[in-house]
Amino acid sequence: MSVAARFSRAVTAPVKHHVYVSRSQDVATNLSIEHYLFQKSHPESTVLFLYVNRPCIVLGRNQNPWLEVNHSLAKHDKIKVIRRRSGGGTVFHDLGNVNFSVICPPPAFHRDKYAEMVVRAIRKLNPRARVNERHDIVLDPGELLPDTHDHPDPEDTHRTAYAFGDGALAPRKVSGSAYKLSRLRALHHGTCLFNSPNIARISEYLRSPARPFLKARGVESVRSPITNISTGHQSESPPSTIQSLQHQIIEAFIHKHNLDSNNLYPLSESPSSAVGLSEHDHCTSGVIDDTLLEIPAIAAGREELESPEYLYNQTPQFILSTHPCEEDDRPRPPLPEWFPASEKKEEEEEKEKEGKKPLASTVPVDKMEMKKKKRYAGYPNG
């Protein structure tokens, strides 16, 4: 029996815990495997799924791609842009970032539960990690606090023994999370910036030049200063590979759920660990890859995520306006030189000089219009 067939059977079995590590580096494939686990895994099971993607930009379910992404830069650098099925903000993935996903019964879910588990894993590599009030994972960048007796309990995942504050001492984000809930299942997934080589450019990719001209419904990303887990103080002998972080997350999951690590498939010893599954009464685990596209539901999910229609036509309604208008009276920066001049714009300028109210140069756009006008899907730069 193929790994895909065994995986499809194992996911639905009444086994309480599952641990999977993907060797695929394709974002659409990994998100489709994750969605398959969300839909098909037994309602009483808890699943840990880890994966690493090639450079890509991933939008939240209810976000505007023209507002969140610098499409010109992404296209120039061959960075794929994709929309996921969960909410939350836009994130950047690359080969220095570990993505974790936990799927569990809704009664067992709360936003900090598995963020705290991941903090315990990160602290094996960097003790500055903690969960903040937004359920993100941050590093406190300051000096070790001098009063030893005031240090927090090492098991307190919301405080560290390091100083933080404003400016240079502002906590640096290393992990953000998003969530999806249904009647039977809850999904918590997030990023972990371990040693991203693109750390200095991420903000450029996620800063759209169209932002001053758009007023959008939906969710806007919350911008925060970021860093790598591998930056700053680490353990005395810090592991140097992405697999080390995956290993620590798996160990934290094993500890949290009292699993026997001897029953797990060899998951993270090297990037080339053989694909395969290990099935036991209380836990199924394995290394998986692109061969899971043999499962029709995963292949169909990948095809949907790859489509321009899913990326662009799912955008909530927004208004594009080159000048202040009744719906959006913000001042506008000068239009780019390449922007085509129009007789209407010249007419508006003449009226402005005469002291008359300018025309509202707005383009309201919503999902239904975009579905009817497929030309929007092929024009990502607005």
Side-chain angles (χ1 to χ4, degrees):
M1 183 183 295
S2 69
V3 171
R6 289 183 62 199
F7 177 84
S8 181
R9 181 194 65 187
V11 164
T12 59
V15 175
K16 197 162 186 182
H17 299 99
H18 298 252
V19 181
Y20 302 107
V21 176
S22 176
R23 290 290 175 253
S24 173
Q25 295 178 342
D26 177 70
V27 59
T29 297
N30 284 323
L31 288 176
S32 295
I33 293 171
E34 180 183 79
H35 189 59
Y36 184 83
L37 289 166
F38 180 78
Q39 289 189 313
K40 302 294 186 181
S41 57
H42 192 275
E44 296 301 317
S45 68
T46 300
V47 181
L48 173 65
F49 177 47
L50 302 176
Y51 54 96
V52 176
N53 291 322
R54 290 185 292 272
C56 60
I57 297 168
V58 185
L59 283 85
R61 175 67 180 81
N62 301 306
Q63 291 198 289
N64 185 314
W66 294 279
L67 191 67
E68 299 292 336
V69 180
N70 186 330
H71 286 275
S72 296
L73 183 60
K75 183 178 180 180
H76 179 271
D77 293 349
K78 297 180 172 56
I79 305 293
K80 181 181 289 188
V81 180
I82 202 164
R83 184 190 297 275
R84 63 178 181 268
R85 295 182 175 92
S86 64
T90 300
V91 292
F92 183 89
H93 295 178
D94 63 18
L95 299 180
N97 172 75
V98 172
N99 300 285
F100 69 90
S101 174
V102 180
I103 301 164
C104 64
F109 167 82
H110 65 78
R111 289 174 182 252
D112 281 344
K113 181 176 182 178
Y114 287 102
E116 292 168 352
M117 180 193 79
V118 173
V119 161
R120 292 188 177 95
I122 293 173
R123 282 184 175 178
K124 301 292 185 181
L125 312 175
N126 193 327
R128 296 174 179 270
R130 64 177 171 89
V131 181
N132 72 4
E133 64 280 356
R134 291 185 51 81
H135 319 288
D136 297 325
I137 299 174
V138 298
L139 300 185
D140 289 335
E143 298 295 327
L144 189 67
L145 296 172
D147 298 325
T148 306
H149 63 278
D150 288 336
H151 286 189
D153 185 327
E155 292 301 309
D156 185 347
T157 54
H158 293 257
R159 298 173 61 206
T160 73
Y162 295 87
F164 68 93
D166 298 323
L169 286 180
R172 298 295 193 264
K173 183 174 174 180
V174 295
S175 173
S177 293
Y179 315 92
K180 182 178 177 66
L181 280 81
S182 69
R183 184 174 61 88
L184 295 177
R185 304 299 273 156
L187 164 69
H188 173 181
H189 59 181
T191 57
C192 283
L193 286 165
F194 180 65
N195 57 358
S196 169
N198 297 291
I199 194 77
R201 300 203 68 196
I202 290 176
S203 63
E204 295 181 52
Y205 290 119
L206 305 186
R207 195 181 304 278
S208 169
R211 178 172 288 272
F213 305 100
L214 289 174
K215 183 177 181 181
R217 296 180 182 177
V219 176
E220 287 194 34
S221 298
V222 177
R223 302 181 188 281
S224 306
I226 58 174
T227 191
N228 280 316
I229 293 165
S230 59
T231 299
H233 184 93
Q234 295 179 310
S235 59
E236 293 182 2
S237 301
S240 59
T241 66
I242 204 80
Q243 286 73 36
S244 62
L245 179 55
Q246 290 183 322
H247 174 74
Q248 295 298 343
I249 294 173
I250 293 167
E251 288 295 312
F253 184 82
I254 290 170
H255 182 265
K256 186 173 187 65
H257 294 284
N258 299 311
L259 302 178
D260 184 354
S261 59
N262 293 322
N263 290 335
L264 265 65
Y265 190 85
L267 294 168
S268 57
E269 281 77 0
S270 74
S272 59
S273 296
V275 172
L277 296 178
S278 175
E279 299 176 66
H280 293 272
D281 291 341
H282 301 290
C283 183
T284 296
S285 58
V287 174
I288 54 181
D289 65 3
D290 295 288
T291 58
L292 292 196
L293 291 172
E294 296 171 13
I295 300 172
I298 294 177
R302 183 186 185 281
E303 182 178 358
E304 179 182 45
L305 292 181
E306 288 274 4
S307 69
E309 288 76 16
Y310 192 79
L311 174 59
Y312 297 113
N313 293 1
Q314 298 297 320
T315 303
Q317 186 181 44
F318 65 97
I319 291 175
L320 169 64
S321 175
T322 58
H323 298 77
C325 61
E326 184 175 345
E327 295 89 347
D328 183 7
D329 60 0
R330 293 174 299 161
R332 302 296 197 273
L335 291 170
E337 292 183 3
W338 51 261
F339 194 88
S342 67
E343 291 183 6
K344 184 176 182 180
K345 179 174 180 291
E346 292 172 358
E347 181 182 344
E348 288 178 4
E349 290 173 346
E350 290 300 320
K351 289 187 175 183
E352 284 182 320
K353 291 178 183 177
E354 297 171 6
K356 297 179 181 180
K357 185 177 179 181
L359 298 173
S361 177
T362 62
V363 183
V365 186
D366 62 24
K367 293 181 189 177
M368 295 308 297
E369 284 186 66
M370 293 175 76
K371 286 178 181 176
K372 293 175 184 176
K373 301 178 181 179
K374 294 294 184 181
R375 63 189 178 89
Y376 281 110
Y379 190 38
N381 291 319

